[in-house]
Amino acid sequence: MSPYSYLAWCWLRENKQWAEENWGPLILRPVLMSRVIKSHETKGPAEIRPKREYLLRECLRIASIENIPFKCPDKLPFNNLIVARLGCIDKGQFEIVDLLFRLGWEEGQSLEDEDFLLSYLEGKGLEKSSISSWIDDKNSRIALKKNCSEAIEKGLFGVPSFLLIDGEDEELFWGRESISHLKLKIDNNDPLDQNDYCDFLSRIQI
C-alpha cells in the first residue's frame, strides 16, 4: 500500500490482460514492509526525512505526468495490517486490492479503520460478512506471515517488487521504474552484462 506500489498498480491494472497473455500468471503477494525492513536492520523511507521528502515529490511528479489520481491517505504512514490481510484473500483478490488502492491513494481516505473499510467494500457490492470473517480468520494471518517469510527469503527489500520466475531461475525487480527492465528480461533483450555485474560484486568491500 505504499505510494510507489499504488503507481505500479495503476500500470498493472491497465495492462493486466496483456501481462498475463505475454508473461504468464500474475500472483499477488501482499507483505508487511515493517517486517521486511526489520529483517534488514534498517529504516523505512518515511523515517529518513530527505528520502521521505524526495519520494513524495517524485510520486507527485509521476502522477502528474501520467495523469494518475493521487491523494494522500487520511494518515501517513498508517498501520497496514488490516489491508495486508484483506489483500491475501483468496476470492476476489484483484478486485479487493484495487478497491483498497483506490480508496487510499485516489480518494485519500483512511486505510486503518476496519469498520470503515468493511462498509466501503460493502458499498462496492462485496459481502461484508465474508470479508470480516476473513480478517479474523487464522488463515489470513498464516497467509500474510508466509508471504513475509518468503519475501525475506527471496531477498525483497522494498515495494513494489516483482519476482520473475523462469524455471529454476529467479530474479527480483524492485520499483515501478523497473517494469521496463522486467519487460526486456522477459523478451530476452536484457542489457545487463553478467560478467560486468559479477566483476562489480567482487570489487565491493563491506
Side-chain angles (χ1 to χ4, degrees):
M1 282 294 151
S2 76
Y4 284 118
S5 293
Y6 162 69
L7 294 172
W9 179 261
C10 290
W11 180 89
L12 181 61
R13 181 174 61 208
E14 296 301 318
N15 295 276
K16 181 176 183 290
Q17 182 176 348
W18 176 87
E20 290 181 328
E21 290 175 353
N22 290 274
W23 298 354
L26 300 174
I27 303 172
L28 306 180
R29 292 287 186 264
V31 299
L32 293 173
M33 271 310 300
S34 58
R35 294 186 185 177
V36 174
I37 290 169
K38 184 178 180 181
S39 73
H40 293 292
E41 299 181 348
T42 184
K43 292 183 178 181
E47 298 178 275
I48 304 172
R49 184 182 61 80
K51 194 171 185 179
R52 175 177 67 239
E53 294 174 357
Y54 178 87
L55 73 85
L56 289 175
R57 289 195 301 269
E58 183 175 51
C59 287
L60 285 165
R61 285 188 173 115
I62 293 172
S64 179
I65 291 170
E66 301 189 16
N67 197 29
I68 296 174
F70 188 71
K71 293 183 179 180
C72 184
D74 184 57
K75 181 181 178 182
L76 190 69
F78 55 85
N79 185 335
N80 66 342
L81 178 59
I82 296 175
V83 292
R85 285 184 181 174
L86 283 173
C88 295
I89 199 167
D90 53 359
K91 184 178 180 181
Q93 183 192 37
F94 195 93
E95 179 185 5
I96 289 176
V97 170
D98 185 43
L99 287 172
L100 292 173
F101 269 125
R102 290 179 184 273
L103 177 66
W105 294 103
E106 289 187 13
E107 301 181 24
Q109 298 295 321
S110 172
L111 291 171
E112 283 192 338
D113 189 314
E114 181 176 337
D115 291 335
F116 176 74
L117 291 175
L118 292 174
S119 296
Y120 170 77
L121 294 174
E122 183 181 33
K124 295 298 182 179
L126 301 177
E127 188 178 344
K128 184 176 180 179
S129 60
S130 62
I131 297 174
S132 178
S133 297
W134 171 257
I135 294 175
D136 296 326
D137 194 315
K138 68 176 182 180
N139 288 323
S140 71
R141 296 191 292 274
I142 293 172
L144 183 56
K145 184 177 181 180
K146 180 181 178 182
N147 288 351
C148 293
S149 297
E150 289 183 349
I152 294 169
E153 178 185 343
K154 300 296 184 181
L156 184 141
F157 54 87
V159 292
S161 285
F162 307 88
L163 182 65
L164 175 62
I165 302 174
D166 183 13
E168 295 183 357
D169 296 327
E170 298 181 348
E171 184 172 349
L172 191 70
F173 290 79
W174 170 59
R176 181 181 185 274
E177 300 310 309
S178 72
I179 292 175
S180 60
H181 299 165
L182 178 61
K183 286 181 177 180
L184 290 171
K185 178 76 172 184
I186 292 174
D187 293 338
N188 294 315
N189 291 317
D190 189 0
L192 175 66
D193 187 309
Q194 287 291 340
N195 291 327
D196 284 346
Y197 171 65
C198 293
D199 180 59
F200 272 58
L201 282 180
S202 67
R203 295 172 185 268
I204 295 175
Q205 299 179 19
I206 298 178

